[in-house]
Amino acid sequence: MVSTEETVRVVGISGSLRKASFSTSLLKILAKRAAPSIDIRVVTLEDIPLYNEDLDQNPEIPSVAAFKKVIAENDGVLIATPEYNHGVPGVLKNALDWASRPVFESCFKNKPVSIISSSKAFTGGVRAQYQLREALISMHAHLVMGPEVVVGGVHAMLAEDVYQDENGLAFMLRSLDRLREEILSRRLVYA
């Protein structure tokens, strides 16, 4: 039987390279405010080179190998992404292209994944979230269902690494709890 206190390990992937990234800030805030039974490790993508199949061989590029390893070693994934031009930022799509290899056996296969999208616009990055879901489905990731987490007007919600909307933060934390529940239920099934 799974204990309600059992800890899950989640890698939080930021889809933005910007130093003052809203996506990275959201992940760091969630890592601080998450239940003690959810351990979040935040990673960024600045060391991942552009995907080139000629470079996709053994030995792997060290930064790519490290990225795949952190995904494989964690119980689940939380992706926080901005929306650029109605879609997923190129840096995030590029990292997923690397992580999708080998085809049908990637580190994302059957991995529980939740998504948070954000935008300065009121739409909160819904189009990026849709594109991201499509890419993750093709990689055989296990998308955690529930209300989509979109953060509109994100620039007005963050101040000095504090999220100003407690109701919005509570909504994000409930989504994180759903990710944890999915991870624990899968542990029972695959144990």
Side-chain angles (χ1 to χ4, degrees):
M1 183 169 180
V2 177
S3 163
T4 56
E5 300 302 314
E6 190 172 348
T7 299
V8 298
R9 295 176 355 137
V10 174
V11 58
I13 300 172
S14 174
S16 173
L17 297 179
R18 195 167 63 87
K19 185 176 180 181
S21 163
F22 300 130
S23 297
T24 305
S25 291
L26 287 172
L27 289 171
K28 288 178 179 178
I29 289 166
L30 290 172
K32 287 180 191 170
R33 296 285 302 268
S37 57
I38 304 172
D39 179 27
I40 300 176
R41 176 180 174 187
V42 177
V43 299
T44 56
L45 305 172
E46 51 271 320
D47 295 330
I48 307 294
L50 290 174
Y51 183 77
N52 178 342
E53 193 170 358
D54 292 338
L55 303 176
D56 190 6
Q57 51 190 289
N58 282 325
E60 285 186 304
I61 295 170
S63 61
V64 171
F67 180 63
K68 289 180 179 183
K69 183 178 180 191
V70 74
I71 294 165
E73 289 178 347
N74 279 273
D75 301 310
V77 178
L78 173 62
I79 299 174
T81 184
E83 181 177 282
Y84 293 167
N85 300 313
H86 293 198
V88 176
V91 67
L92 178 56
K93 178 62 170 75
N94 177 67
L96 294 177
D97 288 342
W98 278 110
S100 72
R101 306 293 192 246
V103 175
F104 307 120
E105 294 302 324
S106 83
C107 55
F108 271 95
K109 185 175 182 180
N110 298 319
K111 185 77 63 175
V113 180
S114 288
I115 301 168
I116 296 174
S117 61
S118 64
S119 172
K120 289 183 177 182
F122 73 94
T123 54
V126 293
R127 293 164 292 221
Q129 189 157 144
Y130 175 76
Q131 284 183 352
L132 186 52
R133 287 180 182 281
E134 289 297 310
L136 290 164
I137 288 168
S138 76
M139 296 164 58
H140 297 236
H142 178 81
L143 294 171
V144 176
M145 294 295 113
E148 291 179 350
V149 180
V150 298
V151 182
V154 67
H155 61 294
M157 298 294 172
L158 289 166
E160 297 180 23
D161 291 329
V162 174
Y163 194 75
Q164 303 296 316
D165 175 11
E166 280 297 320
N167 289 331
L169 180 60
F171 185 73
M172 286 185 267
L173 290 169
R174 283 192 300 275
S175 175
L176 196 52
D177 288 339
R178 282 193 302 277
L179 176 60
R180 180 180 180 272
E181 290 168 13
E182 187 63 34
I183 290 166
L184 292 177
S185 69
R186 294 175 74 78
R187 279 185 186 170
L188 283 175
V189 170
Y190 295 107

